Amino acid sequence: MVDDATTDDEGQQQGVYLVEGGSFERDQSYIDDRITADGSSGWPVEAGRYRLVVARACPWANRAIIVRRLLGLEDALSMGICGPTHDADSWTFDLDPGEVDPVLGIPRLKDAFEARFPGYPRGITVPAMVDIPSGGVVTNDFRQITVDMSTQWTAFHRDGAPELYPEALRDEIDDVARKVFEDVNNGVYRCGFAGSQEAYDEAYDALFARLDWLEERLATQRYLVGDTITEADVRLFTTLARFDPVYQVHFKCNRNKLTEMPVLWAYARDLFQTPGFGDTIDFLHIKQHYFLVHTDLNPSGVLPKGPDLSGWLTPHGREELGGRPFGDGTPPGPPVEGEVVPAAHSAG
């Protein structure tokens, strides 16, 4: 394995590795501390103590934005939003007045990592949970953050919050999510950052084989696991939302567009039109991040004008399959003030 020393998919100096044959391998070494209800981790769940730092451009952070919305954690867990473009050093708070996060008082997310781990050697990634009193990062393990929102923050869930990680379905959710991660969520990056034709072909074939598998699975059921929205749906959705605007062209995932896969396109529209999903998607930030930050893939820095986004709001017909999006719960209310995606950045 060779450390290529280039930036990873979110533009950070986090080891990107090319294995023999030029295959892309994501560095998955994250800070694995957890914020738990009983505090046994050393980080107890407390309203107002932590700040979730995200970027709307990032699919991994987008998961956390969606789960926080669905569960109604806005009052208990504040959110800082980084801009879509940055250098190789850190995500930055350039959307805020003075380019400083108003709660943490820092201009760069890296400052929170350094506050806890001086000389932090790995990538400065989002989402990240930051302890407000100390100013130090707690965790950037995107896989665990959303699960813990569902299982550890229950005291602060809104009335009517859905069960996104129901205990009886966890094994199946984990299995589906693992397949989706390997071949789709991470698979698009394996295509885009492949260092050889062989590695690209392998990733491309795995990606579209899994999308075909999903097309078949979702032809007869509205959601990926059970008859309600779960963590598995959240994890797939953020990749689907970026597929045609970015991955299809920028990462050479071009067997077909999402809009040309009838079942997945209807499924994606169904979720997009569900409160808590589409209202978190900032298509402009998404395109700015990938096309302006990945200068190795887009050296001209030209930002595409398309694609046409109006199709996201067309009828999807998935109600005919049954299912109840929120189970016995209810939809979340509208986004809180300061967290609304500008109309010009969305499909609305």
Side-chain angles (χ1 to χ4, degrees):
M1 182 177 293
V2 179
D3 186 346
D4 193 48
T6 57
T7 56
D8 76 354
D9 57 287
E10 305 311 337
Q12 305 308 306
Q13 291 288 356
Q14 174 176 349
V16 167
Y17 296 89
L18 293 177
V19 300
E20 184 176 354
S23 297
F24 166 79
E25 181 174 310
R26 180 179 302 278
D27 182 350
Q28 297 189 60
S29 301
Y30 300 99
I31 303 168
D32 60 2
D33 285 11
R34 296 175 57 197
I35 300 169
T36 57
D38 63 7
S40 60
S41 62
W43 302 102
V45 168
E46 293 179 17
R49 175 171 175 176
Y50 305 98
R51 188 157 175 83
L52 172 67
V53 177
V54 301
R56 293 194 185 278
C58 171
W60 322 106
N62 198 172
R63 298 176 177 185
I65 299 171
I66 291 171
V67 171
R68 175 176 171 271
R69 279 268 292 125
L70 295 178
L71 299 178
L73 291 173
E74 291 93 338
D75 290 340
L77 178 63
S78 68
M79 185 168 75
I81 305 175
C82 296
T85 60
H86 49 72
D87 58 27
D89 192 46
S90 179
W91 291 91
T92 57
F93 295 100
D94 51 301
L95 301 177
D96 292 306
E99 300 188 359
V100 171
D101 181 86
V103 173
L104 299 175
I106 56 177
R108 307 177 307 160
L109 179 56
K110 182 176 182 179
D111 296 333
F113 281 72
E114 293 280 347
R116 185 174 176 206
F117 302 107
Y120 184 73
R122 311 199 72 82
I124 309 303
T125 62
V126 289
M129 286 282 207
V130 178
D131 177 50
I132 296 173
S134 69
V137 67
V138 176
T139 179
N140 63 339
D141 187 347
F142 69 90
R143 301 157 298 190
Q144 192 65 45
I145 286 173
T146 52
V147 169
D148 283 345
M149 284 183 183
S150 287
T151 61
Q152 303 300 310
W153 288 77
T154 54
F156 299 103
H157 287 183
R158 66 178 175 86
D159 291 339
E163 280 196 82
L164 299 177
Y165 198 55
E167 190 167 0
L169 297 177
R170 288 178 188 176
D171 287 346
E172 186 176 1
I173 290 171
D174 291 347
D175 179 62
V176 170
R178 178 184 57 79
K179 291 182 172 73
V180 168
F181 174 80
E182 291 176 356
D183 298 330
V184 181
N185 302 143
N186 196 46
V188 294
Y189 291 97
R190 292 180 62 231
C191 290
F193 290 105
S196 72
Q197 188 67 51
E198 181 181 4
Y200 166 75
D201 289 348
E202 180 182 352
Y204 177 101
D205 291 344
L207 167 65
F208 283 101
R210 185 61 65 194
L211 290 176
D212 289 341
W213 177 82
L214 289 164
E215 185 92 343
E216 181 177 352
R217 182 183 183 95
L218 290 165
T220 56
Q221 60 189 67
R222 191 172 178 184
Y223 302 110
L224 280 173
V225 180
D227 65 353
T228 64
I229 291 167
T230 68
E231 175 82 12
D233 298 294
V234 175
R235 295 187 179 196
L236 175 58
F237 172 76
T238 58
T239 295
L240 297 182
R242 289 159 175 76
F243 199 87
D244 285 4
V246 175
Y247 303 143
Q248 192 267 338
V249 56
H250 189 56
F251 282 172
K252 301 183 286 292
C253 302
N254 62 350
R255 190 193 75 177
N256 51 258
K257 299 176 181 177
L258 173 65
T259 55
E260 295 166 345
M261 302 190 75
V263 173
L264 275 173
W265 176 223
Y267 165 81
R269 299 199 317 275
D270 186 5
L271 290 178
F272 187 89
Q273 294 169 33
T274 300
F277 283 84
D279 54 33
T280 72
I281 299 296
D282 190 317
F283 285 111
L284 180 60
H285 278 199
I286 288 168
K287 291 196 299 181
Q288 286 175 331
H289 173 70
Y290 287 94
F291 288 102
L292 301 184
V293 171
H294 295 165
T295 54
D296 51 341
L297 300 182
N298 187 38
S300 69
V302 172
L303 189 68
K305 292 184 69 174
D308 179 8
L309 301 174
S310 60
W312 282 99
L313 301 178
T314 59
H316 51 76
R318 297 282 294 176
E319 303 94 337
E320 297 177 2
L321 294 174
R324 302 173 299 149
F326 299 99
D328 294 330
T330 58
V336 301
E337 184 178 357
E339 296 181 7
V340 178
V341 175
H345 297 194
S346 70

